[in-house]
Amino acid sequence: MFIPLALAALWLIPEFEGIIYTLLAEAFLQVSAFVALTLALYYGVSHNLNTSKLQNWMQEKSHREIVFAGLMGVLPGCGGAIVVITQYTQGRIRFGAVVAVLTSTMGDAAFLLISQRPEDAIIVLSISIVIGIISGLIVDAFLPSPKPESIKKAAQAPTCSPQNPSHFEIWISRISVAFWCLLIIPAGIIALLVAAQYDVNALLVLPEESIESFGALAGFICLLLWALSAKNDSYSELAKENDNLLPKHWIRKVAQDTQFVTSWVVVAFVFFELILHFAGDDLFSSLEYWGSTTILFATVIGLLPGCGLHKSW
């Protein structure tokens, strides 16, 4: 609970009010909505269709899942990468696929490039997918990871004694599911319009900053639901998606994973914005004198979690 409480405290300080407001809106509209939409599609299809044959086919040859991961990574938005990483944490794919998807992905920045410079987008996306697949194949050849079956056994190893969920956990889970059932489609549509550089407030004849206020509030609620759903029994509560004791359902899984991703995207955004706030705008304005060395700085920016800074770059 320290994270949402600290964020709320910063939000109440006039000096940081605008920063927190903006980053919460960006985190929800530029990341959470796309992640939720993609995971809903993936988990919904997995729940209603038998995908075991496809998984077995990919696991027979490691290069198949690497190519699949590269294709998922090149899709605009973060959802494709989230799907592959989730499969890796569940022990269903190898580490080479992780390298492939994270090398090929542009995240939400792809929407901006496609809408503003489609010719450049074709070049960049083509390079991304080729380099992603090659990188995954190299890693898989020289740094082979355990077979998916052994990873899966380790991932399924019990970390704590089983217990029944409390009434509080049940209600928080219900609220999370209801929250995303209500917002996933409208938030996804709004996020797509924002990514395509439309003025959604004007398009929907809403007062200025209405959509941004909606995104900021929804982003904070998302963060709060993640914090309230944690059991606080191990470090893994912070480092990975919660192992919910409630009955498994694909909608609950969508809510759980999206809230987890949103929370750490917000933390990354806050951390960077505070550094930028105290360091001043000179940190970026001085780059015009660096020449080609800005490529190295752009590489460092690319390593930062989230896609907001990539779009600004």
Side-chain angles (χ1 to χ4, degrees):
M1 284 300 296
F2 171 78
I3 295 176
L5 289 176
L7 194 69
L10 286 173
W11 204 351
L12 295 175
I13 299 175
E15 183 180 2
F16 302 113
E17 179 182 359
I19 295 175
I20 302 302
Y21 170 83
T22 301
L23 68 87
L24 278 173
E26 290 180 351
F28 185 81
L29 295 175
Q30 298 180 8
V31 179
S32 305
F34 289 119
V35 170
L37 205 59
T38 307
L39 289 181
L41 179 63
Y42 174 76
Y43 287 142
V45 170
S46 300
H47 177 75
N48 292 286
L49 295 177
N50 184 6
T51 59
S52 59
K53 292 184 178 180
L54 176 61
Q55 292 175 357
N56 293 334
W57 179 79
M58 288 193 300
Q59 289 175 0
E60 288 177 0
K61 301 289 184 179
S62 60
H63 70 271
R64 294 174 180 172
E65 63 187 29
I66 290 173
V67 173
F68 172 79
L71 293 172
M72 291 295 290
V74 82
L75 295 176
C78 304
I82 294 293
V83 166
V84 173
I85 299 303
T86 301
Q87 294 302 297
Y88 176 72
T89 59
Q90 295 175 356
R92 295 177 179 175
I93 59 175
R94 298 173 177 84
F95 186 65
V98 173
V99 173
V101 72
L102 294 182
T103 304
S104 65
T105 188
M106 281 184 61
D108 299 331
F111 288 106
L112 180 60
L113 187 61
I114 292 171
S115 62
Q116 299 298 310
R117 303 288 292 270
E119 300 85 359
D120 294 341
I122 294 175
I123 298 173
V124 173
L125 294 175
S126 300
I127 294 173
S128 297
I129 190 171
V130 171
I131 298 300
I133 293 174
I134 292 174
S135 301
L137 292 173
I138 292 174
V139 169
D140 194 64
F142 292 95
L143 187 65
S145 56
K147 293 182 179 180
E149 292 77 9
S150 60
I151 302 175
K152 189 172 184 179
K153 290 179 181 178
Q156 292 178 341
T159 57
C160 60
S161 58
Q163 54 182 331
N164 294 324
S166 64
H167 291 293
F168 180 78
E169 290 176 313
I170 293 174
W171 276 106
I172 291 297
S173 178
R174 289 175 178 175
I175 293 172
S176 297
V177 170
F179 175 79
W180 285 106
C181 283
L182 289 173
L183 291 188
I184 189 169
I185 294 179
I189 294 173
I190 292 172
L192 288 170
L193 292 173
V194 170
Q197 302 298 296
Y198 284 100
D199 185 347
V200 183
N201 292 310
L203 196 64
L204 300 179
V205 195
L206 296 173
E208 291 187 5
E209 299 293 320
S210 296
I211 294 300
E212 291 77 8
S213 299
F214 159 75
L217 180 60
F220 185 78
I221 292 174
C222 190
L223 181 67
L224 190 62
L225 289 172
W226 169 77
L228 292 174
S229 65
K231 299 184 288 297
N232 300 315
D233 58 0
S234 66
Y235 171 76
S236 64
E237 286 293 324
L238 296 176
K240 68 180 183 66
E241 303 93 336
N242 295 333
D243 294 324
N244 204 307
L245 297 173
L246 295 165
K248 303 295 181 183
H249 193 278
W250 67 273
I251 297 178
R252 182 175 289 115
K253 183 64 174 172
V254 169
Q256 173 184 313
D257 290 359
T258 305
Q259 288 163 186
F260 167 78
V261 172
T262 301
S263 301
W264 288 112
V265 166
V266 169
V267 170
F269 278 12
V270 171
F271 183 73
F272 181 83
E273 289 295 338
L274 290 179
I275 292 177
L276 191 62
H277 176 77
F278 290 111
D281 294 334
D282 293 338
L283 181 65
F284 284 110
S285 60
S286 61
L287 294 177
E288 61 185 57
Y289 304 107
W290 289 18
S292 60
T293 55
T294 54
I295 295 175
L296 298 177
F297 189 82
T299 304
V300 175
I301 293 294
L303 293 174
L304 296 175
C307 306
L309 300 173
H310 305 173
K311 285 188 267 192
S312 300
W313 184 260

